[in-house]
Amino acid sequence: GENVEQHPSTLSVQEGDSAVIKCTYSDSASNYFPWYKQELGKRPQLIIDIRSNVGEKKDQRIAVTLNKTAKHFSLHITETQPEDSAVYFCAAGFQKLVFGTGTRLLVSP
Amino acid sequence: GAVVSQHPSWVICKSGTSVKIECRSLDFQATTMFWYRQFPKQSLMLMATSNEGSKATYEQGVEKDKFLINHASLTLSTLTVTSAHPEDSSFYICSAIQGAQKETQYFGPGTRLLVL
């Protein structure tokens, strides 16, 4: 089955800096790669996703890149703000998803 | 659009009792729903996949007789934790997919279960 690894587990940045979170997956059949943001005690919220026929996708300050050959994908957040502080999860699959272990992002003012 | 609700949002029960959690898609028909469990500071672990009108598919290590899932309609799936024990205390979250060819999962707000 699919296995998703996520790094780093924690990430501290200063406001305005960029943050990068990386994930690797094992199953070449996976073709959908979403990223979720989860605040404490709340539901995961989809922030961006990418499908296997696309190498990069951007939405304002957030971008995701996908390297199918190497089986890894990354989340890039530019101009970070304190409200970006949360836990971020990557996932891989199709309809059924396997989630990474999460990255706790802390943006200090 | 694509709103998923869960009820109750939290529940405290005594060991040995059963607890039912409802997951509803409010503004769309969900062909597939998923049930996850999340322990503090951990990731989401898929428990089972629920398809309307058919039996749920459980992940390895999840006891189907303990975690009963019923997906009786295109807008409602229920998870019943039977004979709950303290180790079942967790955050249970459902998600729903809007159609057979869709991938995006929309999550419910979660149910926090505490078994005393």
Side-chain angles (χ1 to χ4, degrees), chain A residues 7-107:
Chain A
H7 300 280
S9 56
T10 59
L11 180 58
S12 294
V13 300
Q14 291 292 122
E15 183 177 1
D17 288 350
S18 295
V20 180
I21 303 171
K22 298 182 179 182
C23 288
T24 60
Y25 64 100
S26 61
D27 190 348
S28 56
S30 291
N31 59 5
Y32 176 61
F33 308 89
W35 286 86
Y36 286 88
K37 175 184 180 182
Q38 188 180 30
E39 298 177 353
L40 189 62
K42 301 289 183 63
R43 77 184 82 194
Q45 291 191 308
L46 179 70
I47 56 171
I48 196 168
D49 57 12
I50 192 168
R51 289 163 179 81
S52 60
N53 58 347
V54 176
E56 185 174 356
K57 183 177 179 180
K58 188 174 181 180
D59 183 4
Q60 298 182 347
R61 297 186 297 111
I62 296 174
V64 58
T65 58
L66 171 65
N67 183 326
K68 284 177 55 180
T69 302
K71 295 195 185 71
H72 65 69
F73 56 114
S74 302
L75 176 71
H76 303 253
I77 306 175
T78 59
E79 300 173 27
T80 54
Q81 302 166 1
E83 49 266 38
D84 293 331
S85 297
V87 178
Y88 291 81
F89 292 99
C90 64
F94 172 52
Q95 293 192 328
K96 174 180 164 180
L97 295 174
V98 174
F99 282 78
T101 49
T103 297
R104 188 171 301 275
L105 175 64
L106 176 62
V107 182

Side-chain angles (χ1 to χ4, degrees), chain B residues 73-112:
Chain B
S73 77
L74 284 172
T75 60
L76 174 63
S77 177
T78 60
L79 167 68
T80 301
V81 183
T82 62
S83 186
H85 292 285
E87 57 265 31
D88 298 323
S89 299
S90 189
F91 192 48
Y92 292 87
I93 314 176
C94 71
S95 69
I97 288 181
Q98 211 165 347
Q101 300 304 317
K102 301 294 178 79
E103 312 105 328
T104 303
Q105 293 189 24
Y106 299 95
F107 283 86
T111 296
R112 194 163 299 281

